């Protein structure tokens, strides 16, 4: 196993330049080359020796990471004074820099303004160690509770759906053994092969336990019910619970049937609820939806392009639903499109066809454009930009011609805004400056002049943004304890939380009573870990977000489509080591003010959505936003 | 003698410490004496002792090494010790004089100067030595037997004679060609030679300052070595200077302990003939000097058989090392009258219940009544008397065991997982009381925390002043002495000054032991929640400690490579088990308390006899430091887990490896048999608990006399069949496992976000 590594491990010696540098730093000017070589060899050997001892401490500390204290202990073994002051929050405190053909690792020491430290409120005391019990297995079967990992990992579900021949269901692996009675974490690879490829997949009966049935009932009722708080809880549960794999088919059918019925009845609110369920399912990191797309995609597409989604098309904001569904569509295309299922091309084809159809109504036209636009800049460039003239003419006919109906006019207006919004940013990228109104008119027809001004705005914003992002960073402490309602109750006294022991769980509960945490919009790359204790009042819920590297860099988080107004973009940043954030009740939000247009896709929907559902619009004013490209904006609709 | 001085950093360290405060000095000097007595002075001079039960080597060699030791003792002004050693070794009075006087030059003069202090110290030491030597009855005999450890200077000087460095490459590749050309059946056996020869040749090159040749040699041939030696090779590769060799413990181990190879007679003859034909003296010399070839008659072993047993730092165990008789049977349980009337449970159950209990108890004790031939005598080691409270506990135990779930491959245990939240990766040790009422955790921040996992809270005993006030005659005096105000679920014990690596509850739940990086073992009272004793003796981190199943005794092992047996009322160890070549990483008592098993970083497991301190078993086969040990409840088998992610099963009586359980992908930190021994549970760093069918693993064995005699057994690869279940945690390494008396499995670990 180590054959390939072994070649390198021999004779790694510190460079002699390091010796020289170190000598200089302690005031020894001229060091002979020979002494340098001798020193570097000796030092390398001693360092290796210490590293080996430190490893012992790591092993006995039952850790996988070597820490500075391990090195200290190893030094103590050798009767050497430990190095003080290296208690680093981060695992490796070094920064890397390169330039001029040289690579350098250095220890970053920032200048600290003392008044800042004095004036900031003291961080809360980290939580004390506490003990918590759960059932890892009950008579050999692992229960699906949040404390346990999901029964089938996402990768496994993925292989199951993409390469069904390779997969052996748990419980069918070997007839005699009850190995499958527990869940099989043994890799199924290879086992299927041995049994030959002509292996018929036995029909599996899906039986839900009583608890699961109850859960299903509660969740679906809450999702489409009238209580918004309950719905938020239910969606949160769908988005985070690890044990839903078994119930996925039911949910999928529920959604598809629900859409079918409610489209006919033009029940906008219910359609929005159902789409939010789709979103929650997609957000669940333990579910792999590929198998259920045949039910979900038609439902989503219906919500994008249906002629009528609401009872009063002139008043109700069905446009927001179309936007949201379009975004879901784009997300599922991005995640699940493969060369076998061709989701993206099939969807594109469908949308283009109805877009090119002259008889298409404004509502459907809007949906088609939104659906295509969300698929990314390339799609806009190839499919929408060429149509701009045609669409412009059509809009002009409605706007300036004799007023046919109010509905048509609203439709045309919306299509116009949508086109301007999406096309401006793309054109700003592909078209060289200067932006001439006449050229635009010549090229894009009726929409040309408006487009031109939008493009100009987009350009100025893009340059402005780059400067602003770096400047306007301010750190605020958690404005509203949305994430830790129950926790703050416990820690409110200021002292360390009294460690609570929860006794051996007496029975298996699927529906853990959760504190009312609003559903978290979760970008796909962001990891949420939810630790919940199901013990009534003492329950705590922590949501830890590890922001991945690309979101941490300000450049990628800029919003290309932004044009004029300021829009808060919130990043959740983990301070210090992940281990510390996990325990600290205080979470740090960095609010970056970003300019964006009023019609930007990032705009809070509360202003657009009808009042009937606007109570769900914002979670305490905090929006977690992560948009790397306009096409995959993963914002939640509420 | 300069070489000796330079090379013996360790020994000098220990001598230095001796001049420290008495409490420290006692433990330490005692350790030194213990080594002298119990095994060999090698341990004192750099921790180089090997087995105690090796045959005495040829007289001249022995004398030479003895002289070296004597010289060292003289030089260090340990005149008395030198005298004793001389007397015991039967050397003539003047044996040392000619050398001794010139070596230690002004020695006598200096000794006279400080004679007062030294003399007192030495004599007090001696008095203790005699005490402990009378306890360890066989000590004198062993001291003589264990003298085959050459001194450091001897070891290093052995390298001075050598051939042409440039030819080493040719020698080695010549041998390689030869071994590759022999018949298949011999090739696997002779391939064992590669690694030790490679190491010794490399070291010889380094010793003689042929750095570049050594480097080239290493690069050329290190890739050929078995992958399980990777760790050692890494250490070796960093060693490129003669100066490095001094003070490098790993290296000294390799030099001083002969690498043991087991080779069939046929293969050996083949090799011998080849080397003689080629006149390859260089290799022959190394084989003669540094290797111990254990020749057996019979079929050469296969590659897989060899691989199963090799991997340890010093080769395989010699066959005779595992020949001693081990009394692995259980002790007879004391007869306890079951009070049948006063139990409220009986009231609701019908008459049948107490009747059932009798036969059940009989079935449990049936073997012991007949006096298991494999069981040690009841009085082989003195055990503490049963107190009334112990008897009550025994009764509770029996009551619980009647409700025990019968486990098996079709009836798996439920697992309750205790997760330590917010531990910041600082949880280093966990233990659970036998009755599963308390959980203790040792932490990197030096604290020990004790939780009650039952509704019964932890309470302290009242202060002395308050105790005076209570009515001592009242019936509930035991209840009255407790201070209700202090009741809480958690108590934190402060006292250590380094991470707590080992933790163990006493069987009666009155005490808690903890061992730490600071080199001490502390005994805590769970009545007052204060520290009672700090046991000093290990001057280096103590990796593990465990109470005997009968209480009173405990064992500890640490970085100083010795395991110590203590009694709670002695501040110095009763026995010192020296022999491991690297850190002792885990320690465990046999269920009958007569033996102690220790696992080590040298990738061996040793079983020690508590009575006389002898090493009675050496088990090799792991490819990484051993971090978990577990005895089966019947005392017949031992399971061990290591960083290599494998669990190995050993038959203690026959001294054989009987099984290998593969499946874990990371270090195994915890192993436990179910109460009746049907299931083996293993917990690992890879965040899984796995259950194995122990019954099947042991039933399938055919351990006839033949396999026992030849010492190798063919292991079938049936890990997958034996694996009954794998249970993944979210992100919690499994640090501890415990079967409750009713066979519910408790697991514990710290959540690692």
């Amino acid at each position: 196993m180590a054959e390939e590594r072994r070649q390198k491990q021999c004779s790694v010696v510190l460079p002699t330049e390091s010796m020289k540098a170190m000598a200089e730093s302690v005031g020894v000017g001229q060091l002979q080359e020979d002494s340098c070589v001798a020193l570097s060899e000796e030092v390398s050997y001693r360092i290796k020796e210490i590293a080996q001892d430190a490893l012992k401490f790591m092993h006995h500390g039952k850790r996988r990471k070597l820490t500075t204290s391990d090195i200290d202990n190893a030094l103590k073994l050798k009767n050497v004074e430990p190095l003080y002051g290296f208690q680093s929050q981060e695992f490796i405190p070094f920064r890397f820099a390169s330039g001029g053909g040289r690579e350098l690792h250095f220890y970053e020491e920032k200048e600290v303004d003392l008044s800042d430290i004095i004036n900031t409120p003291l961080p809360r005391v980290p939580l004390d160690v506490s003990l918590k019990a759960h059932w890892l297995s009950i008579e050999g079967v692992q229960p699906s509770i949040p404390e346990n990992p999901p029964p089938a990992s996402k990768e496994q579900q993925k292989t199951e759906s993409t390469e069904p021949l390779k997969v052996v269901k748990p419980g069918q692996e070997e007839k005699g053994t009850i190995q499958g009675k527990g869940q099989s974490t043994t890799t199924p690879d290879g086992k299927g092969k041995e049994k030959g490829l002509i292996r018929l997949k036995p029909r599996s009966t899906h039986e839900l336990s009583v608890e699961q049935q109850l859960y299903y009932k509660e969740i679906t009722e809450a999702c489409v019910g009238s209580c918004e708080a309950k719905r938020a809880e239910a969606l949160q549960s769908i988005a985070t619970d690890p044990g839903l794999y078994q119930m996925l088919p039911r949910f999928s059918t529920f959604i598809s049937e629900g859409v079918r019925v409610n489209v006919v009845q033009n029940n906008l609110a219910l359609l929005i609820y159902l789409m939010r369920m789709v979103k929650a399912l997609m957000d669940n990191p333990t579910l792999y939806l590929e198998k259920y797309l045949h039910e979900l995609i038609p439902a989503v597409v219906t919500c994008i392009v249906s002629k009528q989604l609401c009872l009063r098309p002139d008043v109700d904001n069905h446009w927001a639903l179309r936007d949201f569904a379009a975004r879901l569509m784009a997300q599922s295309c991005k995640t699940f499109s493969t060369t076998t299922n061709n989701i993206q091309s099939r969807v594109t084809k469908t949308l283009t066809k109805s877009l090119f159809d002259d008889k298409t109504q404004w509502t459907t036209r809007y949906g088609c454009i939104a659906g295509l636009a969300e698929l990314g800049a390339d799609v806009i460039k190839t499919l929408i930009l060429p149509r701009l003239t045609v669409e412009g003419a059509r809009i002009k006919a409605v706007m300036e011609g004799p007023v046919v109906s109010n509905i048509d006019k609203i439709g045309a207006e919306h299509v116009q805004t949508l086109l301007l919004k999406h096309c401006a940013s793309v054109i700003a990228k592909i078209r060289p400056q200067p932006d001439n109104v006449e050229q635009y008119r010549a090229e894009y027809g009726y929409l040309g002049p408006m487009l031109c001004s939008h493009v100009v705005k987009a350009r100025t914003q893009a340059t402005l943004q780059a400067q602003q992002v770096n400047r306007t960073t301010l750190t605020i402490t958690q404005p509203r304890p949305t994430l830790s309602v129950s926790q703050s109750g416990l820690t409110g006294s200021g002292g360390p939380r009294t460690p609570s022991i929860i006794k051996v769980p007496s029975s298996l509960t699927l529906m853990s009573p959760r504190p009312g945490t609003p559903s978290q919009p979760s970008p796909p790359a962001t990891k949420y870990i939810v630790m919940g204790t199901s013990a009534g009042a003492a329950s705590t819920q922590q949501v830890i977000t590890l922001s991945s590297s690309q979101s941490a860099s300000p450049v990628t988080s800029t919003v290309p489509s932004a044009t004029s107004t300021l829009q808060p973009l919130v990043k959740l940043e983990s301070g210090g080591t992940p281990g510390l954030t996990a325990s600290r009740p205080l979470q740090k939000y960095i609010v970056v003010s970003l300019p964006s247009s009023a019609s930007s896709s990032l705009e809070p929907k509360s202003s657009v959505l009808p009042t009937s559902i606007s109570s769900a619009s914002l979670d305490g004013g905090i929006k977690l936003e992560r948009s790397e490209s306009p096409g995959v904006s993963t914002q939640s609709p509420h | 003698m300069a070489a000796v001085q330079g090379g013996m950093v360790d020994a000098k360290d220990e001598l230095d410490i001796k001049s420290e405060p008495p409490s420290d000095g006692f433990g330490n000097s005692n350790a030194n004496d213990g080594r002298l007595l119990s095994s060999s002075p090698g341990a004192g001079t750099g921790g180089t002792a090997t087995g105690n039960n090796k045959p005495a080597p040829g007289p001249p060699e022995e004398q030479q090494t003895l002289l070296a030791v004597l010289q060292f003792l003289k030089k260090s002004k340990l005149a008395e010790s030198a005298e004793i050693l001389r007397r015991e070794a039967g050397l003539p009075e003047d044996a040392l004089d000619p050398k001794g006087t010139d070596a230690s030059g002004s020695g006598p003069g200096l000794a006279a100067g400080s004679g007062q202090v030294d003399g007192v110290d030495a004599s007090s030491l001696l008095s203790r030595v005699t005490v402990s030597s009378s306890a360890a009855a066989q000590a004198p005999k062993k001291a003589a037997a264990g003298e085959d450890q050459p001194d450091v200077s001897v070891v290093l000087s052995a390298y001075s004679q050598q051939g042409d460095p440039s030819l080493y490459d040719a020698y080695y590749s010549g041998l390689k060609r030869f071994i590759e050309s022999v018949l298949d059946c011999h090739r696997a056996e002779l391939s064992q030679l590669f690694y030790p020869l490679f190491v010794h040749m490399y070291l010889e090159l380094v010793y003689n300052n042929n750095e570049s040749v050594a480097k080239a040699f290493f690069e050329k041939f290190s890739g050929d070595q078995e992958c399980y030696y990777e760790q050692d090779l890494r250490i070796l590769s960093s060693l490129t200077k003669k100066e490095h060799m001094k003070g490098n413990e790993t290296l000294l181990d390799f030099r001083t302990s002969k690498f043991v190879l087991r080779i069939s007679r046929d293969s050996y003859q083949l090799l011998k003939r080849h080397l003689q034909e080629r006149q390859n003296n260089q290799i022959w010399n190394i084989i003669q000097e540094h290797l111990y070839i254990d020749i057996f008659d019979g079929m050469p072993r296969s590659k897989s058989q060899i691989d199963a047993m090799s991997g340890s730092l010093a080769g395989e165990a010699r066959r005779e090392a595992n020949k001693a008789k081990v009394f692995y049977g259980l002790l007879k349980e004391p007869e306890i009258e079951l009070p049948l009337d006063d139990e409220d449970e009986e009231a609701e159950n019908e008459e049948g219940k107490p009747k059932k209990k009798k036969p059940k108890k009989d079935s449990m004790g049936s073997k012991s009544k007949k006096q298991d031939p494999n069981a040690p005598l009841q009085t082989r080691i003195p055990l503490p008397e049963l107190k009334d409270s112990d008897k009550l506990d025994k009764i509770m135990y029996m009551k619980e065991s009647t409700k025990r779930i019968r486990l098996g491959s079709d009836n798996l245990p439920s697992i309750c997982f205790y997760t330590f939240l917010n531990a910041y990766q600082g949880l280093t040790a966990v233990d659970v009381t036998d009755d599963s009422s308390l959980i203790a955790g040792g932490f990197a921040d030096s604290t020990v925390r004790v939780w009650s996992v039952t509704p019964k809270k932890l309470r302290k005993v009242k202060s002395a002043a308050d105790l005076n006030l209570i009515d001592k005659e009242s019936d509930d005096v035991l209840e009255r002495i407790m201070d209700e105000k202090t009741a809480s679920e958690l108590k934190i014990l402060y006292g250590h000054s380094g991470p707590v690596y080992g933790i163990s509850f006493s069987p009666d739940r009155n005490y808690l032991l903890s061992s730490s990086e600071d080199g001490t073992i502390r005994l805590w009272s769970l009545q007052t929640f204060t520290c009672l004793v700090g046991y000093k003796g290990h001057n280096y981190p103590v990796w593990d400690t465990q109470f005997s199943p009968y209480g009173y005794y405990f064992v500890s092992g640490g970085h100083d490579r010795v395991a110590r047996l203590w009694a709670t009322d002695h501040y110095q160890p009763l026995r010192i088990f020296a022999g491991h070549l690297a850190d002792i990483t885990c320690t465990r008592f046999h269920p009958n308390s007569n033996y102690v098993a220790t696992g080590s970083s040298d990738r061996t497991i040793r079983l020690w006899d508590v009575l006389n301190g002898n090493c009675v078993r050496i088990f090799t086969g792991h490819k990484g430091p051993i971090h978990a040990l577990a005895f089966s409840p019947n005392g017949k088998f031992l399971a061990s887990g290591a960083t290599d992610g494998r669990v190995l099963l050993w038959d203690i009586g026959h001294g054989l490896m009987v099984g290998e359980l593969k499946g874990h992908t990371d270090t195994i930190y915890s192993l436990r048999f179910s109460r009746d021994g049907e299931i083996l549970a293993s917990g690992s760093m890879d965040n899984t608990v796995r259950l194995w069918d122990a019954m099947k693993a042991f039933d399938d064995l055919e351990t006839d006399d033949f396999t026992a005699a030849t010492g190798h057994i063919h292991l079938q690869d049936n890990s997958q069949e034996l694996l009954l279940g794998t249970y993944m945690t979210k992100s919690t390494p499994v640090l501890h496992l415990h079967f409750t008396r009713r066979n519910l499995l408790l697991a514990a670990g710290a959540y690692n976000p």
Side-chain angles (χ1 to χ4, degrees), chain A residues 41 45 59 64 132 134 146, chain B residues 241 417 419 669 685 730:
Chain A
E41 277 176 6
Y45 173 72
H59 277 301
R64 276 203 198 86
K132 183 183 171 302
H134 75 268
Chain B
K241 289 252 183 296
F417 203 102
T419 312
Y669 279 116
M685 195 71 191
K730 252 188 176 164

Side-chain angles (χ1 to χ4, degrees), chain A residues 1-3 5-7 9-11 13 38 41-42 44-46 48-49 52-53 55-65 67 70 73 76-79 126-142 145-150 174 177-179 181-183 185-186 191 242 497 499-505 527 529-531 533 542 544 578-580 582-584, chain B residues 13 211 215 218-219 222-227 230-231 233-235 237-241 243-244 247-248 409-425 427-429 439 443 449 451-455 489-490 492 497 499 501 517 540-541 543 559 583-585 601 627 643 666-667 669 685-687 689-690 720-721 723-724 726-730 733 735 744 751-753:
Chain A
M1 49 191 170
E3 295 292 335
R5 259 186 299 158
R6 201 180 289 154
Q7 299 310 321
Q9 79 193 21
C10 183
S11 67
V13 177
E41 277 176 6
E42 178 68 14
S44 308
Y45 173 72
R46 296 297 162 196
K48 283 175 192 171
E49 224 177 22
Q52 273 153 12
D53 277 339
L55 273 179
K56 272 183 198 167
F57 283 95
M58 181 192 78
H59 277 301
H60 284 281
K62 276 95 174 172
R63 276 176 279 113
R64 276 203 198 86
K65 282 180 181 172
T67 63
D70 291 331
N73 285 331
K76 257 169 89 181
L77 273 190
K78 301 253 174 253
N79 260 335
L127 293 178
D128 201 6
V129 183
S130 64
L131 201 58
K132 183 183 171 302
H134 75 268
W135 289 113
L136 185 67
S137 135
I138 295 170
E139 288 174 2
V141 183
Q142 191 163 33
I145 47 174
E147 287 87 352
N148 285 329
E174 277 146 309
T177 59
I178 43 91
Q179 190 180 331
K181 211 176 146 194
Q183 31 76 276
T185 35
T186 49
K191 274 191 186 159
R497 193 161 73 96
S500 59
I501 308 167
I502 291 95
K503 301 294 181 288
V504 182
K527 192 175 157 198
I529 301 156
V530 179
M531 297 188 294
T533 50
Q542 288 181 331
I544 305 138
L580 271 173
S583 55
R584 210 182 281 159
Chain B
D13 275 355
E211 201 181 311
K215 239 177 219 175
F218 189 92
E219 269 171 41
S222 67
D224 300 346
Q225 310 306 326
E226 298 285 354
C227 58
E230 191 205 349
Q231 204 121 35
L233 287 176
R234 196 176 299 156
I235 295 173
S237 71
S238 65
L239 191 142
T240 49
K241 289 252 183 296
E243 290 77 36
H244 297 158
N248 187 319
S409 57
D410 46 356
N411 194 13
L412 295 180
S414 298
I415 308 171
C416 176
F417 203 102
Y418 284 95
T419 312
F420 289 77
L421 299 173
N422 313 316
Y424 317 113
Q425 306 221 343
L427 182 70
T428 43
I439 286 188
F443 289 83
R449 286 158 197 258
W451 280 270
S452 163
V453 289
T454 58
E489 282 173 329
L490 163 68
I492 307 180
S497 59
Y501 290 118
E517 185 269 338
Y540 290 104
W543 298 131
H559 177 71
D583 300 33
I584 289 177
T585 47
S601 294
H627 276 275
T643 53
D666 209 331
T667 310
Y669 279 116
M685 195 71 191
D686 64 10
N687 302 345
V689 175
R690 283 170 203 255
Q720 286 310 309
E721 291 164 37
L723 180 66
L724 297 179
T726 304
Y727 305 98
M728 189 99 181
T729 66
K730 252 188 176 164
L735 300 194
L744 171 73
Y751 181 67
N752 197 351

Side-chain angles (χ1 to χ4, degrees), chain B residues 236-254:
Chain B
L236 207 62
S237 71
S238 65
L239 191 142
T240 49
K241 289 252 183 296
K242 187 176 173 181
E243 290 77 36
H244 297 158
M245 292 172 76
K246 295 169 189 165
N248 187 319
E249 292 143 355
T250 323
L251 179 76
L252 278 175
D253 293 336
F254 208 88

